[in-house]
Amino acid sequence: METFLSYFHKYKWDEIKFKINNISPDEVKRALDKRKRSLEDFLILLSPEAADFLPEMANQSQLLARQRFGKTIQLFAPLYLSNECQNICTYCGFSLDNKIKRKTLSNMELLLEASELKSRGIDHVLLVSGEANHTVGIDYFLNAVRLLKPLFSNISLEVQPLEEDEYRLLNEAGVHSILVYQETYHQEVYKKYHPKGKKSNFEYRLETPDRIGRSKMHKIGLGVLLGLEDWRVDSFFNALHLDYLQKKYWQTRYTVSFPRLRPAEGVIKPNYEISDQELLQLICAYRIWNPDLELSISTRESEYFRDNIIRMGITSMSAASKTNPGGYVVDPQSLEQFEISDERSVPDIITVIQNAGYEAVLKDWESIL
């Protein structure tokens, strides 16, 4: 059975890096003048040379997002289920080697956290957990979805990679989308960041979106952790992955997130910095290359950046996020996965969106449709 793995091995990290860093101004101009862009054009728009064209890129990104999605921003919030994890990941506060108090929400605690989010107006919830199959496996997730389905019109998951039949069960239970990040596509250094645990298996994780696609999940979310390796090269491989998935699982929708490495307990500092201007360039490059993609920005980013990115091509934002299990009401002092930057309330975020001339969408569909 063919998966992205065979496609991935046709490309070399160093060759892609060389191409990105040797783009000419004329190539950028031609890419921006096209009406339909290829993956090669995306590579061009990632280049250092394209940074000089950022005003034009931002203008095109804004127009394309409005044409495809209107002047709307979808709001969601994460709900952390557990900080238990069997992996050692050098960039994550939940890493197994961090000597911290572990917590997994009970049914009652889960409902208390969900009720708090619901009272804030949140109707799209993202369930997140550490990767601990013995504690938070498929049975736990199915139970959580069953408990929360009456409260939220849209439930997404960002948990450990699962098997195809498990994704089918989640789909049947009413899960709308699955997010899974490769973290970095640089296979040669991947093990350095993931020295222990199932997550250290680069190829198994790389094939996860194929398993999700075969399960006929409504939406798949991808992304890389910006700060581990060269963001331009990693983002090209993420787009390569998306390009493959969209062609093979064409009935599925896709979203891209842009997490930058943030401070957390016991984690490394970024290996590669990405500035606000470079992150804007990356977001615009995705929008110009693929206007149908949903693009999401989290509360990892500053208030200033989030306020100004609303008009630049983003389609969804998290709001009033807590990144620890029980962080909303049950156990506010439990360990965070990472520090958030934008701590404003849901009403505050709605006001910011409205002041930008956009509509904040809290509920946009019914599962029965």
Side-chain angles (χ1 to χ4, degrees):
M1 183 183 301
E2 184 190 42
T3 67
F4 177 66
L5 186 61
S6 58
Y7 198 55
F8 170 78
H9 284 310
K10 296 176 182 178
Y11 294 81
K12 304 298 181 186
W13 182 277
D14 289 341
E15 292 176 3
I16 296 300
K17 184 172 184 176
F18 180 84
K19 289 182 69 174
I20 290 173
N21 289 321
N22 287 275
I23 296 299
S24 70
D26 285 342
E27 288 176 293
V28 179
K29 290 176 184 176
R30 285 195 293 270
L32 288 173
D33 286 342
K34 292 182 179 179
R35 301 191 68 176
K36 187 175 182 180
R37 281 86 177 192
S38 66
L39 192 60
E40 184 72 19
D41 296 314
F42 179 75
L43 181 151
I44 291 168
L45 296 176
L46 289 176
S47 69
E49 194 64 46
D52 292 336
F53 296 82
L54 189 52
E56 183 176 347
M57 288 179 63
N59 184 55
Q60 286 200 28
S61 180
Q62 180 184 66
L63 291 174
L64 287 167
R66 287 183 181 180
Q67 289 170 8
R68 174 61 181 83
F69 296 93
K71 298 177 72 174
T72 62
I73 301 292
Q74 178 72 60
L75 291 183
F76 71 95
L79 197 169
Y80 276 70
L81 306 172
S82 174
N83 62 10
E84 296 192 50
C85 194
Q86 297 167 338
N87 298 316
I88 292 179
C89 301
T90 60
Y91 51 81
C92 182
F94 292 174
S95 184
L96 178 65
D97 56 346
N98 280 344
K99 304 305 179 184
I100 50 98
K101 180 184 176 182
R102 304 291 173 168
K103 182 175 184 59
T104 298
L105 298 183
S106 67
N107 285 355
M108 182 60 69
E109 291 172 330
L110 179 60
L111 288 170
L112 286 171
E113 290 287 287
S115 296
E116 174 62 22
L117 283 178
K118 191 69 177 179
S119 72
R120 300 180 185 188
I122 294 295
D123 204 48
H124 285 219
V125 66
L126 171 65
L127 305 183
V128 187
S129 81
E131 300 190 8
N133 286 314
H134 67 287
T135 306
V136 279
I138 185 61
D139 291 338
Y140 183 95
F141 300 139
L142 288 170
N143 177 66
V145 172
R146 178 183 61 80
L147 289 172
L148 300 184
K149 200 75 180 72
L151 293 175
F152 301 102
S153 66
N154 187 306
I155 298 176
S156 303
L157 260 69
E158 183 185 333
V159 299
Q160 70 267 27
L162 302 170
E163 296 301 323
E164 181 181 338
D165 62 333
E166 294 173 322
Y167 286 126
R168 290 187 186 278
L169 290 173
L170 290 169
N171 191 5
E172 292 167 1
V175 171
H176 179 262
S177 54
I178 302 288
L179 282 63
V180 58
Y181 304 144
Q182 189 64 25
E183 314 297 8
T184 178
Y185 286 84
H186 197 326
Q187 187 170 8
E188 288 73 19
V189 301
Y190 182 88
K191 185 72 173 179
K192 178 181 73 174
Y193 296 115
H194 310 95
K196 184 176 181 180
K198 194 171 183 178
K199 194 170 181 177
S200 65
N201 187 334
F202 177 89
E203 294 187 349
Y204 179 78
R205 195 171 188 90
L206 193 69
E207 293 181 310
T208 301
D210 276 286
R211 297 193 295 276
I212 303 171
R214 291 195 297 268
S215 77
K216 302 187 185 302
M217 187 66 61
H218 182 79
K219 184 164 64 178
I220 300 174
L222 270 70
V224 295
L225 183 53
L226 302 168
L228 294 185
E229 292 298 319
D230 188 321
W231 65 267
R232 292 184 168 92
V233 186
D234 250 338
S235 297
F236 170 81
F237 278 99
N238 191 69
L240 178 72
H241 205 165
L242 279 163
D243 191 59
Y244 159 86
L245 292 168
Q246 286 185 307
K247 289 172 181 174
K248 187 164 185 177
Y249 310 105
W250 55 270
Q251 292 176 307
T252 299
R253 293 170 60 189
Y254 296 90
T255 182
V256 177
S257 300
F258 302 91
R260 278 196 280 192
L261 191 57
R262 291 282 299 157
E265 182 72 25
V267 307
I268 60 169
K269 293 182 179 179
N271 191 25
Y272 285 81
E273 297 284 354
I274 175 171
S275 67
D276 284 1
Q277 182 172 316
E278 290 170 334
L279 182 53
L280 174 59
Q281 179 185 348
L282 176 58
I283 291 168
C284 293
Y286 267 110
R287 174 59 64 220
I288 294 168
W289 166 58
N290 195 329
D292 289 336
L293 281 177
E294 296 180 25
L295 303 181
S296 181
I297 203 78
S298 76
T299 51
R300 289 175 182 257
E301 299 304 325
S302 69
E303 294 182 11
Y304 176 82
F305 186 84
R306 279 163 51 93
D307 289 356
N308 287 280
I309 202 66
I310 290 169
R311 302 180 181 89
M312 297 296 114
I314 287 294
T315 58
S316 70
M317 303 174 71
S318 54
S321 303
K322 298 295 182 182
T323 67
N324 48 327
Y328 294 107
V329 289
V330 171
D331 189 3
Q333 301 306 312
S334 66
L335 180 80
E336 295 179 320
Q337 187 182 29
F338 57 86
E339 291 181 12
I340 66 170
S341 182
D342 186 350
E343 298 183 347
R344 291 173 296 182
S345 68
V346 174
D348 286 344
I349 298 297
I350 292 174
T351 298
V352 168
I353 292 170
Q354 291 174 339
N355 288 342
Y358 281 64
E359 178 187 356
V361 178
L362 291 162
K363 179 177 181 179
D364 65 346
W365 79 302
E366 287 284 357
S367 58
I368 58 172
L369 301 178

